[in-house]
Amino acid sequence: MARKPPMGDPVQDAPRVTGPKHAAAGLPAIKHSLRMAQEQMGVKRTALTLLRVNQKDGFDCPGCAWPEPDRRHTAEFCENGAKAVAEEATLRRVTPEFFAAHSVADLAGRSGYWLGQQGRLTHPMYLPEGAEHYEPVTWERAFDIIAEEIAALGSPDEAVFYTSGRTSNEAAFLYQLFARELGTNNLPDCSNMCHESSGSALAQTIGVGKGSVLLEDLYRADLIIVAGQNPGTNHPRMLSALEKAKANGAKIISVNPLPEAGLERFRNPQTPKGLTTGTALTDLFLQIRIGGDQALFRLLNKLIIDKGAVDEEFVRDHTHGYEEFAAAARAADWDETLAATGLTRDRIEEALRMVLASKRVIVCWAMGLTQHKHAVPTIREVVNFLLLRGNIGRPGAGVCPVRGHSNVQGDRTMGIFERPDDAFLDALEKEFGFAPPRKHGYDVVRAIRALRDGEAKVFFAMGGNFVAASPDTEVTEAAMRRARLTVHVSTKLNRSHVVTGARALILPTLGRTERDVQASGEQFVTVEDSMGMVHASRGRLEPASEHLRSEPAIVCGLARRVLGDRSMVPWEELQQDYAKIRDRIARVVPGFEDFNARVARPGGFALPHAPRDERRFPTATGKANFTAAPVEYPHLPEGRLLLQTLRSHDQYNTTIYGLNDRYRGIADGRRVVLVNPEDARSLGVADGSYVDLVGEWKDGVERRAPGFRVVYYPTARGCAASYYPETNVLVPLDATADVSNTPASKSVVVRLEQSAAD
Ligand SMILES: Nc1nc2c(c(=O)[nH]1)N[C@H]1C(S)=C(S)[C@@H](COP(=O)(O)OP(=O)(O)OC[C@H]3O[C@@H](n4cnc5c(=O)[nH]c(N)nc54)[C@H](O)[C@@H]3O)O[C@H]1N2
Ligand SMILES: Nc1nc2c(c(=O)[nH]1)N[C@H]1C(S)=C(S)[C@@H](COP(=O)(O)OP(=O)(O)OC[C@H]3O[C@@H](n4cnc5c(=O)[nH]c(N)nc54)[C@H](O)[C@@H]3O)O[C@H]1N2
Ligand SMILES: [Mo]
């Protein structure tokens, strides 16, 4: 039976504030997730579904990319995993009747929260040019429309194929194959807005753009530094790993402008201790100013060198560029570092003592490091820090960029990348016999510019919510409206379906939790987690509607229609049996040899990683590269704040589960700005007053996000925080990280103006 979604949008946004908590999880986490799950799917389905998450024969959690310890036991409980599952397995439905009742203009006036809460999409829907409502369409007609628009393009490079990170390896491989056989490398993905900075920095310095640790390494580390990450909300299962590391004697340093509850104390609901006091996680909290991390690590590096605490043998045998780097590091300056970081000398010296006392060190990070102008040099400085003491390529040590979407890393491995290397393209050419395009394609920011400038005309998205997730909302929305055709393969309704090109299609698809039956029988798919482990994912629920198609089936159907007889790829055969897709992947992508046999083993298999496995660094120099970039940090004009745009506890990116941010003590609203009380007083803004956030950037364009409740909050001085995507309107399209081109959504200069309504 279908369930009724809550009505009554526009959502009342009336934040109540109780102040930050100091521990995460515990029984409230179970209570909250069960309540949300039961609202979406009822009691029985909740029980059946949640038991299958991350089991050996179950489905991979559609939440985050944190690895699963041992898939043979009952899964770790994770509040936000449960919420992600409930969002997908909901019994609410968005049917053709819904679209008949709501015009696109009506839907465009609704909040993202309301749109998402309406439930699962059930039918392919088409918005003809000039029409006010979406109408049902057959799959065949939908493919015809896409084929027509693609045929009308001056070149395949006028089409853009976006991917979000939930897409399976099989679907991603087919999707890039289709785009390349069509003739374009325009394959932007959510990674461009996420860990691109990590990939860029790591590929250059250690030769592999992925993390170098496995879960076991965390358990063996002496010191774990968690910088720019909020695992209590975004990777809750990581807290169990940190707890285990601590039980084995590890120390933890958190580097963050905010005191995040999950890093302070973890109440593991699966242990007796967790039901009482829990485990204190952070030993040393470095409350850094936004963007101060490169300066911090640079100074630590200087101090390590000055103390003669460098692993000289490792540096000599395995690295390149040490002398030049050491000269730059020696020049690091205490005063400048204290100004850049807002830290005290004592704290930094304490951190140094902990580093020097540790043989095995891991640095974990997420968006707090990747989304700044100088994100790439910042992450390179983290690599310098680890290289100095030989902390890469030995057990219990290494780099640990913690990925976001559950298969974002796998999608990249499968070739979803606008700048593929020649080796990958050569392998595709050899396997399929067509010549893939060599010219690099658009990333997210370049795709928006191309749409804005009329150079791209067809936009196709495999999942995600491009319009809401991208920077500079007004520019992005205007760009999207210029397209001839926008197409979204989606599970749920979102903003990108209502800010459309002249024509638009919504293609509804299966989620992770659902049974996928093709001509050869029931299928499973595979994913790669944040630590390079590949394993199977098998849905068990009946699909939300009989009209849904799987992502691989959609790509195959579309490719057959668009490419027709000129295609060299047996699309039908691949659609019928995903094992045949895996056979192809095995021949094209290194590390996937014998894919079908290896993925059948419980727990799957680890992809090779030369630095981790053999201390071999496949870089241009053949060694791990030290780099000596100048230290950068944001310089704030008088009377301004540096705003980071982050996630609340009740959201998954642009999917809003609810209006609470429990650990930060905020309820019933999202339009809040967290400001240090001393800054607020000096700016003359009172707690509880309403302000507009006004972005200031060198292009002189005024970007305004109106009506945010000021919350006095213990963030670092000069810094503020607000939720994404409401604040994406403030992030300039051109304000991106050097090298990686990732939007700098964690360092937006703003001024606060009293709201007109206040
Ligand atoms: N439940 C849930 N899980 C998710 C997601 C979700 O939205 N909801 N999203 C998924 C995705 S795609 C991703 S990429 C990850 C994101 O995971 P996170 O990166 O943890 O997400 P954010 O909320 O952006 O948090 C950024 C953190 O960095 C800190 N920070 C900000 N600026 C700086 C800085 O300059 N220096 C330092 N040291 N710290 C800083 C912030 O205070 C905050 O703690 O989570 C994934 N998992
Ligand atoms: N200001 C600011 N902007 C940011 C960030 C930030 O921290 N601050 N973070 C950035 C980051 S790290 C990321 S990763 C991006 C996220 O960008 P996206 O990945 O594009 O956005 P999501 O909100 O994760 O996408 C949600 C939609 O995906 C669809 N979906 C869910 N599951 C499936 C599935 O299994 N298959 C298909 N086909 N569709 C599915 C649903 O329709 C849902 O509405 O946002 C970026 N934008
Ligand atoms: Mo992400």
Side-chain angles (χ1 to χ4, degrees):
M1 88 252 63
R3 300 202 147 220
K4 279 232 172 309
M7 297 308 287
D9 201 67
V11 172
Q12 286 295 320
D13 200 294
R16 287 185 296 114
V17 178
T18 53
K21 307 276 180 294
H22 301 286
L27 287 178
I30 299 194
K31 197 181 86 196
H32 284 277
S33 60
L34 285 182
R35 203 194 58 220
M36 277 200 191
Q38 289 174 6
E39 275 170 24
Q40 296 277 358
M41 27 180 206
V43 178
K44 193 164 145 222
R45 193 170 165 96
T46 295
L48 281 175
T49 314
L50 294 186
L51 280 175
R52 289 273 179 202
V53 192
N54 291 347
Q55 293 300 289
K56 178 165 67 32
D57 58 349
F59 61 91
D60 181 65
C61 180
C64 72
W66 188 257
E68 189 61 24
D70 183 343
R71 305 178 74 82
R72 278 160 305 187
H73 296 121
T74 308
E76 286 175 297
F77 169 78
C78 169
E79 176 187 354
N80 281 347
K83 291 193 294 208
V85 170
E87 265 305 298
E88 180 177 304
T90 181
L91 292 168
R92 298 172 188 160
R93 297 289 178 265
V94 172
T95 59
E97 293 72 45
F98 172 92
F99 286 105
H102 297 280
S103 69
V104 172
D106 166 3
L107 297 174
R110 307 283 178 155
S111 70
Y113 176 42
W114 187 89
L115 293 176
Q117 288 301 307
Q118 303 311 305
R120 287 288 299 277
L121 296 157
T122 59
H123 288 66
M125 300 297 300
Y126 173 45
L127 182 69
E129 190 158 5
E132 288 174 7
H133 289 257
Y134 272 98
E135 55 194 46
V137 65
T138 63
W139 281 98
E140 296 325 307
R141 174 78 184 118
F143 292 154
D144 285 347
I145 292 166
I146 301 169
E148 261 167 45
E149 290 291 348
I150 288 180
L153 296 176
S155 131
D157 286 330
E158 291 174 13
V160 170
F161 297 93
Y162 175 70
T163 317
S164 167
R166 271 193 195 172
T167 293
S168 65
N169 289 334
E170 288 75 2
F173 184 78
L174 294 178
Y175 187 52
Q176 62 81 33
L177 184 63
F178 164 61
R180 294 195 165 111
E181 193 173 26
L182 179 68
T184 183
N185 283 312
N186 285 342
L187 287 157
D189 66 351
C190 66
S191 206
N192 296 146
M193 300 184 264
C194 182
H195 265 293
E196 196 69 62
S197 303
S198 308
S200 302
L202 294 176
Q204 189 205 354
T205 54
I206 67 168
V208 180
K210 299 181 183 181
S212 75
V213 299
L214 295 172
L215 210 40
E216 297 77 69
D217 291 306
L218 272 115
Y219 306 151
R220 298 167 80 167
D222 299 322
L223 176 66
I224 300 171
I225 301 180
V226 182
Q229 194 200 346
N230 178 23
T233 285
N234 298 312
H235 306 92
R237 289 178 298 109
M238 179 174 167
L239 299 186
S240 317
L242 294 178
E243 182 182 44
K244 191 159 172 184
K246 287 222 78 169
N248 293 345
K251 297 271 190 246
I252 295 177
I253 300 179
S254 324
V255 188
N256 204 306
L258 297 175
E260 302 283 27
L263 285 168
E264 288 184 55
R265 184 170 285 276
F266 173 45
R267 296 210 175 98
N268 186 340
Q270 277 156 323
T271 64
K273 192 179 170 200
L275 297 179
T276 54
T277 55
T279 307
L281 293 180
T282 293
D283 296 281
L284 177 68
F285 174 39
L286 298 180
Q287 186 163 33
I288 197 163
R289 288 211 171 133
I290 290 173
D293 304 81
Q294 190 200 4
L296 170 67
F297 280 99
R298 176 61 61 88
L299 184 73
L300 287 172
N301 290 339
K302 166 195 166 68
L303 299 175
I304 291 170
I305 293 170
D306 289 351
K307 292 255 179 215
V310 173
D311 180 341
E312 283 171 10
E313 201 180 304
F314 175 81
V315 168
R316 187 192 60 222
D317 295 347
H318 296 287
T319 71
H320 176 268
Y322 174 73
E323 285 311 327
E324 196 191 332
F325 163 68
R330 283 193 197 97
D333 175 67
W334 267 105
D335 288 340
E336 188 179 26
T337 310
L338 298 184
T341 60
L343 298 170
T344 61
R345 192 167 177 129
D346 287 359
R347 290 262 149 167
I348 297 181
E349 282 174 345
E350 177 59 19
L352 178 70
R353 272 193 293 279
M354 290 170 72
V355 170
L356 296 181
S358 307
K359 186 91 199 72
R360 293 175 294 267
V361 180
I362 291 175
V363 183
C364 302
W365 72 88
M367 298 304 101
L369 294 202
T370 63
Q371 298 175 331
H372 301 287
K373 176 175 183 297
H374 59 308
V376 174
T378 298
I379 296 164
R380 285 189 199 142
E381 200 61 31
V382 169
V383 173
N384 289 335
F385 166 78
L386 291 168
L387 291 178
L388 273 183
R389 291 178 47 83
N391 274 313
I392 295 189
R394 72 168 178 229
V399 282
C400 184
V402 183
R403 304 275 162 175
H405 268 299
S406 50
N407 197 40
V408 62
Q409 186 159 315
D411 291 346
R412 218 13 111 69
T413 309
M414 292 299 118
I416 302 292
F417 192 26
E418 75 283 358
R419 291 174 285 131
D421 61 29
D422 281 334
F424 181 84
L425 296 178
D426 292 344
L428 269 191
E429 180 157 3
K430 182 155 170 270
E431 177 66 22
F432 294 100
F434 68 85
R438 301 277 160 167
K439 191 180 125 204
H440 286 172
Y442 299 133
D443 61 13
V444 164
V445 166
R446 293 188 178 95
I448 296 168
R449 287 193 196 122
L451 289 158
R452 177 195 65 191
D453 300 340
E455 284 157 15
K457 301 191 176 80
V458 170
F459 176 86
F460 188 105
M462 185 57 81
N465 183 2
F466 189 85
V467 161
S470 294
D472 230 346
T473 311
E474 281 181 28
V475 175
T476 297
E477 293 199 346
M480 208 48 92
R481 292 190 198 279
R482 274 202 79 182
R484 278 292 313 151
L485 172 70
T486 51
V487 186
H488 287 87
V489 177
S490 309
T491 52
K492 307 270 304 251
L493 190 63
N494 66 44
R495 179 92 189 148
S496 300
H497 303 130
V498 296
V499 179
T500 68
R503 306 163 94 184
L505 285 161
I506 301 174
L507 305 179
T509 191
L510 297 176
R512 287 275 171 81
T513 52
E514 289 164 323
R515 198 185 295 276
D516 182 352
V517 182
Q518 302 295 336
S520 72
E522 200 166 310
Q523 308 295 315
F524 67 88
V525 292
T526 62
V527 293
E528 173 186 342
D529 67 32
S530 196
M531 294 179 178
M533 299 290 300
V534 178
H535 55 78
S537 174
R538 203 184 298 265
R540 300 284 182 181
L541 294 178
E542 275 312 308
S545 139
E546 58 181 331
H547 305 288
L548 305 188
R549 290 199 182 171
S550 73
E551 292 182 349
I554 293 171
V555 180
C556 291
L558 180 64
R560 282 166 59 202
R561 176 65 189 80
V562 172
L563 301 170
D565 292 342
R566 74 173 160 114
S567 181
M568 311 288 284
V569 179
W571 296 104
E572 196 162 357
E573 183 188 311
L574 299 177
Q575 173 175 342
Q576 286 169 358
D577 181 0
Y578 298 176
K580 300 233 164 81
I581 310 175
R582 286 185 288 274
D583 285 339
R584 301 299 185 125
I585 294 172
R587 291 202 289 267
V588 171
V589 188
F592 283 82
E593 299 75 18
D594 215 7
F595 191 4
N596 275 304
R598 282 156 79 216
V599 83
R601 289 180 211 143
F605 62 95
L607 289 175
H609 188 289
R612 179 193 69 208
D613 304 337
E614 355 162 9
R615 267 204 167 175
R616 189 169 58 75
F617 298 93
T619 61
T621 61
K623 302 218 163 171
N625 291 317
F626 279 103
T627 47
V631 171
E632 286 177 63
Y633 54 94
H635 296 267
L636 260 187
E638 194 50 39
R640 306 297 186 264
L641 295 172
L642 199 58
L643 177 79
Q644 58 152 324
T645 59
L646 42 45
R647 292 155 174 80
S648 83
H649 194 61
D650 273 0
Q651 73 182 85
Y652 193 93
N653 298 338
T654 68
T655 299
I656 311 300
Y657 303 140
L659 299 181
N660 301 334
D661 193 2
R662 203 166 74 247
Y663 298 151
R664 300 197 185 105
I666 291 159
D668 298 338
R670 292 178 48 84
R671 293 188 85 84
V672 292
V673 56
L674 314 185
V675 186
N676 181 295
E678 289 183 49
D679 288 326
R681 281 186 210 107
S682 76
L683 295 172
V685 292
D687 187 54
S689 64
Y690 279 77
V691 294
D692 291 359
L693 310 179
V694 186
E696 290 187 358
W697 204 59
K698 62 185 177 196
D699 61 4
V701 174
E702 185 184 279
R703 295 179 176 81
R704 181 179 292 264
F708 283 70
R709 184 201 189 280
V710 173
V711 177
Y712 281 16
Y713 201 88
T715 180
R717 287 297 305 269
C719 303
S722 267
Y723 305 130
Y724 124 84
E726 288 82 347
T727 45
N728 285 39
V729 62
L730 298 172
V731 183
L733 183 64
D734 296 334
T736 60
D738 298 336
V739 184
S740 67
N741 210 25
T742 294
S745 39
K746 293 285 189 281
S747 38
V748 185
V749 176
V750 293
R751 63 172 193 271
L752 309 185
E753 280 184 8
Q754 216 67 37
S755 281
D758 195 35

